[in-house]
Amino acid sequence: MTPAHGSGVSVEGGVDLDTPIARAARAAMTVREPESGDWPRPSRCRVMSVANQKGGVGKTTTTVNIAASLAMHGNRVVVVDLDPQGNASTALGADRTEGVRSIYHCLVEGEDLIKVAHPVADIPNLWCVPATIDLAGAEIELVSLVARESRLKRALGAYDTSEIDYILIDCPPSLGLLTVNAMVAAEEVLIPIQCEYYALEGLGQLLRNVELVRTHLNPGLAISTILLTMYDGRTRLASQVADEVREHFGELVLDTVVPRSVRVSEAPSYGQSVMTYDPGSTGAVAYMEAAREMAVAGAAQ
């Protein structure tokens, strides 16, 4: 039976192309081989800290998938894993075994960042500076070091960023010395906020810390991007939280909202971002759109 004209159903050779499987396949191809080609690149390297001291907000997931999306669309990206849990390293398939040179050695021993940045398998233009268990003690060791707040800035300063478009720093879920190092080294802060009841809990303290760093250590630091994550369209609460965040932060909030997605949660256990694990999933498409917004905004600066 032929669909009525204007029904919006695509048919080719008598086969219905508007099935759920077909839509997922088209979405996957859009992520892997976007019709629009490469996205615009910034005029200079954008160094961004991805921070929120509240755990479970999608911070590491956001870092990994934004980075993968940008890299898959022609940008050159380095992910610096500054979280002792090392989840970003795991999601990008980086080696975290004992003895591996990592971001710890850059912070504490002055190792060159380029020596510990490893290419990510299956995603050209993407590198990861891994975190190992050594980083767990770095907070204590940094206390006695000279210029303890700017150790990461020094490491990045010795890195040739002329061939890099983005450096994304995945911060730990705390406001200690590691997070301060990330904010001193960065120019921008990206804050993921989950669309749940406690979304704004502790956010005021994060904003105050950003202001303290800007006042005393890094005058160029600014909150540039806020991304709403874990959005559940079935609940009124999610919509209310999103509206409240947009009302408070205005244009800093990306239009794209990342929905709750099982695939996004599964991907790291396979040592992948969701962009390669299941590029047709709603989470992958949302992160791709969020990254595209960031790329366009960055090119306009």
Side-chain angles (χ1 to χ4, degrees):
M1 180 178 178
T2 303
H5 180 69
S7 65
V9 177
S10 176
V11 175
E12 183 175 309
V15 178
D16 183 358
L17 298 184
D18 198 41
T19 63
I21 293 178
R23 288 194 294 272
R26 288 196 294 272
M29 292 305 295
T30 299
V31 172
R32 285 189 175 276
E33 300 178 12
E35 296 178 2
S36 58
D38 290 349
W39 291 339
R41 293 164 53 190
S43 58
R44 60 190 180 89
C45 181
R46 296 177 68 184
V47 184
M48 308 181 74
S49 292
V50 185
N52 193 327
Q53 82 275 14
K54 189 176 185 304
V57 301
K59 177 180 53 60
T60 297
T61 301
T62 294
T63 304
V64 166
N65 290 301
I66 291 290
S69 298
L70 290 167
M72 293 170 73
H73 290 79
N75 283 264
R76 298 160 299 186
V77 187
V78 175
V79 171
V80 177
D81 190 353
L82 210 61
D83 186 346
Q85 296 180 70
N87 291 334
S89 304
T90 299
L92 293 175
D95 185 3
R96 299 185 59 238
T97 55
E98 187 175 353
V100 169
R101 305 296 283 179
S102 66
I103 189 61
Y104 167 85
H105 299 93
C106 296
L107 294 173
V108 177
E109 300 180 3
E111 178 74 275
D112 289 341
L113 196 71
I114 192 170
K115 293 182 180 179
V116 297
H118 305 287
V120 175
D122 301 325
I123 306 181
N125 301 320
L126 181 59
W127 294 264
C128 177
V129 178
T132 61
I133 191 62
D134 294 329
L135 193 59
E139 292 264 8
I140 298 173
E141 294 182 65
L142 284 171
V143 170
S144 61
L145 297 180
V146 175
R148 61 189 182 186
E149 299 92 353
S150 55
R151 303 288 291 187
L152 181 59
K153 181 178 182 179
R154 183 211 58 78
L156 293 184
Y159 191 78
D160 181 10
T161 58
S162 62
E163 296 298 318
I164 299 297
D165 299 306
Y166 291 85
I167 296 176
L168 300 182
I169 307 169
D170 185 34
C171 298
S174 67
L175 295 175
L177 263 178
L178 290 176
T179 298
V180 170
N181 262 269
M183 291 186 180
V184 171
E187 297 176 344
E188 305 177 46
V189 180
L190 163 60
I191 305 176
I193 298 178
Q194 83 279 33
C195 297
E196 295 181 353
Y197 181 72
Y198 293 112
L200 305 182
E201 184 184 64
L203 187 58
Q205 184 60 51
L206 174 61
L207 299 180
R208 284 190 290 273
N209 276 46
V210 170
E211 186 57 38
L212 283 172
V213 171
R214 179 164 46 220
T215 301
H216 299 287
L217 297 168
N218 183 7
L221 183 67
I223 297 172
S224 65
T225 311
I226 291 176
L227 176 63
L228 293 166
T229 64
M230 302 183 183
Y231 184 84
D232 187 345
R234 298 170 299 178
T235 68
R236 183 180 301 174
L237 176 62
S239 178
Q240 290 174 342
V241 171
D243 290 343
E244 186 173 343
V245 171
R246 291 189 188 282
E247 181 178 349
H248 187 75
F249 292 101
E251 294 184 356
L252 295 180
V253 187
L254 296 179
D255 291 335
T256 303
V257 175
V258 179
R260 283 195 172 278
S261 169
V262 173
R263 294 302 193 191
V264 169
S265 302
E266 288 177 346
S269 63
Y270 292 88
Q272 298 183 53
S273 71
V274 75
M275 311 310 296
T276 53
Y277 175 67
D278 188 355
S281 66
T282 56
V285 173
Y287 272 117
M288 183 191 69
E289 283 301 312
R292 183 188 60 78
E293 280 191 65
M294 290 173 53
V296 171
Q301 292 178 357

